[in-house]
Amino acid sequence: DTDVAWLRDPSPFLLCRDAASDAAGGGAAGARCSALREADVAVSSDNMSPGEDLRIGAAYAAGGTLNTGLLFVRPTAAGTAFATRWHETVSSPPPGKRFAPPGCCTSDQQVFGRMVRVGGGYPGLAPPAGAPTG
């Protein structure tokens, strides 16, 4: 099971330091880099549909399962706080069905998904304004 295969250096995309990084990504990749620049935490998804990804971007993954096989945590206060809270929740799940087995969460990936899910989707995965939705 391969979660990630890099075909080139991902640093320009992941770091997104400035407009030059956007240009290095080129075209649609450059536009996605702009959005990533705002993220403290970014994760991959098990929902794969290149056609839908191109059509509506990350919004396609909103109903899917997050996959911590590729996880990017920026060393900001918010990124560090999230990583700390995630580790604590995995290590010592609070009582109740939300995080503790047998009701839920036998893996770090399941805990991650439960921590970030809001309603039926995830923050940051709404379709861009004016994007087709159906």
Side-chain angles (χ1 to χ4, degrees), residues 30-41:
R32 289 189 297 269
C33 184
S34 296
L36 184 60
R37 188 179 299 121
E38 303 300 319
D40 292 300
V41 178

mmCIF file with all atom_site columns, all heavy atoms in Angstrom, residues 30-41:
data_model
loop_
_atom_site.group_PDB
_atom_site.id
_atom_site.type_symbol
_atom_site.label_atom_id
_atom_site.label_alt_id
_atom_site.label_comp_id
_atom_site.label_asym_id
_atom_site.label_entity_id
_atom_site.label_seq_id
_atom_site.pdbx_PDB_ins_code
_atom_site.Cartn_x
_atom_site.Cartn_y
_atom_site.Cartn_z
_atom_site.occupancy
_atom_site.B_iso_or_equiv
_atom_site.pdbx_formal_charge
_atom_site.auth_seq_id
_atom_site.auth_comp_id
_atom_site.auth_asym_id
_atom_site.auth_atom_id
_atom_site.pdbx_PDB_model_num
ATOM 1  N N   . GLY A 1 30 ? -0.174 26.187 -9.250 1.00 0.00 ? 30 GLY A N   1
ATOM 2  C CA  . GLY A 1 30 ? 0.146  27.454 -8.600 1.00 0.00 ? 30 GLY A CA  1
ATOM 3  C C   . GLY A 1 30 ? -1.035 28.001 -7.830 1.00 0.00 ? 30 GLY A C   1
ATOM 4  O O   . GLY A 1 30 ? -0.892 28.515 -6.731 1.00 0.00 ? 30 GLY A O   1
ATOM 5  N N   . ALA A 1 31 ? -2.234 27.862 -8.385 1.00 0.00 ? 31 ALA A N   1
ATOM 6  C CA  . ALA A 1 31 ? -3.434 28.332 -7.698 1.00 0.00 ? 31 ALA A CA  1
ATOM 7  C C   . ALA A 1 31 ? -3.662 27.533 -6.423 1.00 0.00 ? 31 ALA A C   1
ATOM 8  O O   . ALA A 1 31 ? -4.044 28.082 -5.391 1.00 0.00 ? 31 ALA A O   1
ATOM 9  C CB  . ALA A 1 31 ? -4.648 28.212 -8.624 1.00 0.00 ? 31 ALA A CB  1
ATOM 10 N N   . ARG A 1 32 ? -3.431 26.218 -6.466 1.00 0.00 ? 32 ARG A N   1
ATOM 11 C CA  . ARG A 1 32 ? -3.599 25.402 -5.261 1.00 0.00 ? 32 ARG A CA  1
ATOM 12 C C   . ARG A 1 32 ? -2.565 25.764 -4.216 1.00 0.00 ? 32 ARG A C   1
ATOM 13 O O   . ARG A 1 32 ? -2.816 25.700 -3.027 1.00 0.00 ? 32 ARG A O   1
ATOM 14 C CB  . ARG A 1 32 ? -3.540 23.920 -5.611 1.00 0.00 ? 32 ARG A CB  1
ATOM 15 C CG  . ARG A 1 32 ? -4.765 23.455 -6.378 1.00 0.00 ? 32 ARG A CG  1
ATOM 16 C CD  . ARG A 1 32 ? -4.783 21.952 -6.528 1.00 0.00 ? 32 ARG A CD  1
ATOM 17 N NE  . ARG A 1 32 ? -3.665 21.437 -7.291 1.00 0.00 ? 32 ARG A NE  1
ATOM 18 C CZ  . ARG A 1 32 ? -3.679 21.243 -8.606 1.00 0.00 ? 32 ARG A CZ  1
ATOM 19 N NH1 . ARG A 1 32 ? -4.754 21.508 -9.305 1.00 0.00 ? 32 ARG A NH1 1
ATOM 20 N NH2 . ARG A 1 32 ? -2.630 20.759 -9.226 1.00 0.00 ? 32 ARG A NH2 1
ATOM 21 N N   . CYS A 1 33 ? -1.383 26.156 -4.632 1.00 0.00 ? 33 CYS A N   1
ATOM 22 C CA  . CYS A 1 33 ? -0.337 26.550 -3.693 1.00 0.00 ? 33 CYS A CA  1
ATOM 23 C C   . CYS A 1 33 ? -0.794 27.756 -2.884 1.00 0.00 ? 33 CYS A C   1
ATOM 24 O O   . CYS A 1 33 ? -0.553 27.829 -1.689 1.00 0.00 ? 33 CYS A O   1
ATOM 25 C CB  . CYS A 1 33 ? 0.949  26.852 -4.453 1.00 0.00 ? 33 CYS A CB  1
ATOM 26 S SG  . CYS A 1 33 ? 2.340  27.248 -3.392 1.00 0.00 ? 33 CYS A SG  1
ATOM 27 N N   . SER A 1 34 ? -1.492 28.682 -3.502 1.00 0.00 ? 34 SER A N   1
ATOM 28 C CA  . SER A 1 34 ? -1.980 29.849 -2.778 1.00 0.00 ? 34 SER A CA  1
ATOM 29 C C   . SER A 1 34 ? -2.877 29.451 -1.621 1.00 0.00 ? 34 SER A C   1
ATOM 30 O O   . SER A 1 34 ? -2.779 30.010 -0.534 1.00 0.00 ? 34 SER A O   1
ATOM 31 C CB  . SER A 1 34 ? -2.753 30.774 -3.730 1.00 0.00 ? 34 SER A CB  1
ATOM 32 O OG  . SER A 1 34 ? -1.893 31.262 -4.715 1.00 0.00 ? 34 SER A OG  1
ATOM 33 N N   . ALA A 1 35 ? -3.742 28.476 -1.830 1.00 0.00 ? 35 ALA A N   1
ATOM 34 C CA  . ALA A 1 35 ? -4.641 28.031 -0.763 1.00 0.00 ? 35 ALA A CA  1
ATOM 35 C C   . ALA A 1 35 ? -3.865 27.306 0.331  1.00 0.00 ? 35 ALA A C   1
ATOM 36 O O   . ALA A 1 35 ? -4.145 27.481 1.520  1.00 0.00 ? 35 ALA A O   1
ATOM 37 C CB  . ALA A 1 35 ? -5.719 27.119 -1.334 1.00 0.00 ? 35 ALA A CB  1
ATOM 38 N N   . LEU A 1 36 ? -2.879 26.518 -0.027 1.00 0.00 ? 36 LEU A N   1
ATOM 39 C CA  . LEU A 1 36 ? -2.105 25.772 0.957  1.00 0.00 ? 36 LEU A CA  1
ATOM 40 C C   . LEU A 1 36 ? -1.317 26.703 1.864  1.00 0.00 ? 36 LEU A C   1
ATOM 41 O O   . LEU A 1 36 ? -1.080 26.396 3.030  1.00 0.00 ? 36 LEU A O   1
ATOM 42 C CB  . LEU A 1 36 ? -1.167 24.778 0.265  1.00 0.00 ? 36 LEU A CB  1
ATOM 43 C CG  . LEU A 1 36 ? -0.365 23.862 1.178  1.00 0.00 ? 36 LEU A CG  1
ATOM 44 C CD1 . LEU A 1 36 ? -1.302 23.006 2.038  1.00 0.00 ? 36 LEU A CD1 1
ATOM 45 C CD2 . LEU A 1 36 ? 0.548  22.973 0.366  1.00 0.00 ? 36 LEU A CD2 1
ATOM 46 N N   . ARG A 1 37 ? -0.938 27.860 1.356  1.00 0.00 ? 37 ARG A N   1
ATOM 47 C CA  . ARG A 1 37 ? -0.171 28.814 2.143  1.00 0.00 ? 37 ARG A CA  1
ATOM 48 C C   . ARG A 1 37 ? -0.904 29.195 3.430  1.00 0.00 ? 37 ARG A C   1
ATOM 49 O O   . ARG A 1 37 ? -0.291 29.482 4.447  1.00 0.00 ? 37 ARG A O   1
ATOM 50 C CB  . ARG A 1 37 ? 0.123  30.063 1.322  1.00 0.00 ? 37 ARG A CB  1
ATOM 51 C CG  . ARG A 1 37 ? 1.074  31.014 2.012  1.00 0.00 ? 37 ARG A CG  1
ATOM 52 C CD  . ARG A 1 37 ? 1.386  32.261 1.185  1.00 0.00 ? 37 ARG A CD  1
ATOM 53 N NE  . ARG A 1 37 ? 2.020  31.910 -0.059 1.00 0.00 ? 37 ARG A NE  1
ATOM 54 C CZ  . ARG A 1 37 ? 1.515  32.217 -1.266 1.00 0.00 ? 37 ARG A CZ  1
ATOM 55 N NH1 . ARG A 1 37 ? 0.394  32.866 -1.374 1.00 0.00 ? 37 ARG A NH1 1
ATOM 56 N NH2 . ARG A 1 37 ? 2.152  31.864 -2.359 1.00 0.00 ? 37 ARG A NH2 1
ATOM 57 N N   . GLU A 1 38 ? -2.222 29.169 3.414  1.00 0.00 ? 38 GLU A N   1
ATOM 58 C CA  . GLU A 1 38 ? -3.025 29.555 4.573  1.00 0.00 ? 38 GLU A CA  1
ATOM 59 C C   . GLU A 1 38 ? -3.208 28.421 5.572  1.00 0.00 ? 38 GLU A C   1
ATOM 60 O O   . GLU A 1 38 ? -3.681 28.640 6.676  1.00 0.00 ? 38 GLU A O   1
ATOM 61 C CB  . GLU A 1 38 ? -4.406 30.035 4.111  1.00 0.00 ? 38 GLU A CB  1
ATOM 62 C CG  . GLU A 1 38 ? -4.358 31.194 3.134  1.00 0.00 ? 38 GLU A CG  1
ATOM 63 C CD  . GLU A 1 38 ? -3.686 32.423 3.714  1.00 0.00 ? 38 GLU A CD  1
ATOM 64 O OE1 . GLU A 1 38 ? -3.941 32.733 4.893  1.00 0.00 ? 38 GLU A OE1 1
ATOM 65 O OE2 . GLU A 1 38 ? -2.894 33.059 2.994  1.00 0.00 ? 38 GLU A OE2 1
ATOM 66 N N   . ALA A 1 39 ? -2.866 27.188 5.214  1.00 0.00 ? 39 ALA A N   1
ATOM 67 C CA  . ALA A 1 39 ? -3.147 26.021 6.054  1.00 0.00 ? 39 ALA A CA  1
ATOM 68 C C   . ALA A 1 39 ? -2.081 25.816 7.117  1.00 0.00 ? 39 ALA A C   1
ATOM 69 O O   . ALA A 1 39 ? -0.891 25.893 6.836  1.00 0.00 ? 39 ALA A O   1
ATOM 70 C CB  . ALA A 1 39 ? -3.249 24.771 5.191  1.00 0.00 ? 39 ALA A CB  1
ATOM 71 N N   . ASP A 1 40 ? -2.531 25.525 8.340  1.00 0.00 ? 40 ASP A N   1
ATOM 72 C CA  . ASP A 1 40 ? -1.620 25.104 9.392  1.00 0.00 ? 40 ASP A CA  1
ATOM 73 C C   . ASP A 1 40 ? -1.432 23.592 9.353  1.00 0.00 ? 40 ASP A C   1
ATOM 74 O O   . ASP A 1 40 ? -0.392 23.073 9.726  1.00 0.00 ? 40 ASP A O   1
ATOM 75 C CB  . ASP A 1 40 ? -2.162 25.519 10.767 1.00 0.00 ? 40 ASP A CB  1
ATOM 76 C CG  . ASP A 1 40 ? -2.149 27.024 10.930 1.00 0.00 ? 40 ASP A CG  1
ATOM 77 O OD1 . ASP A 1 40 ? -1.062 27.622 10.848 1.00 0.00 ? 40 ASP A OD1 1
ATOM 78 O OD2 . ASP A 1 40 ? -3.227 27.613 11.129 1.00 0.00 ? 40 ASP A OD2 1
ATOM 79 N N   . VAL A 1 41 ? -2.478 22.875 8.912  1.00 0.00 ? 41 VAL A N   1
ATOM 80 C CA  . VAL A 1 41 ? -2.448 21.419 8.803  1.00 0.00 ? 41 VAL A CA  1
ATOM 81 C C   . VAL A 1 41 ? -3.097 21.041 7.474  1.00 0.00 ? 41 VAL A C   1
ATOM 82 O O   . VAL A 1 41 ? -4.161 21.556 7.136  1.00 0.00 ? 41 VAL A O   1
ATOM 83 C CB  . VAL A 1 41 ? -3.226 20.751 9.962  1.00 0.00 ? 41 VAL A CB  1
ATOM 84 C CG1 . VAL A 1 41 ? -3.231 19.239 9.814  1.00 0.00 ? 41 VAL A CG1 1
ATOM 85 C CG2 . VAL A 1 41 ? -2.642 21.148 11.314 1.00 0.00 ? 41 VAL A CG2 1
#
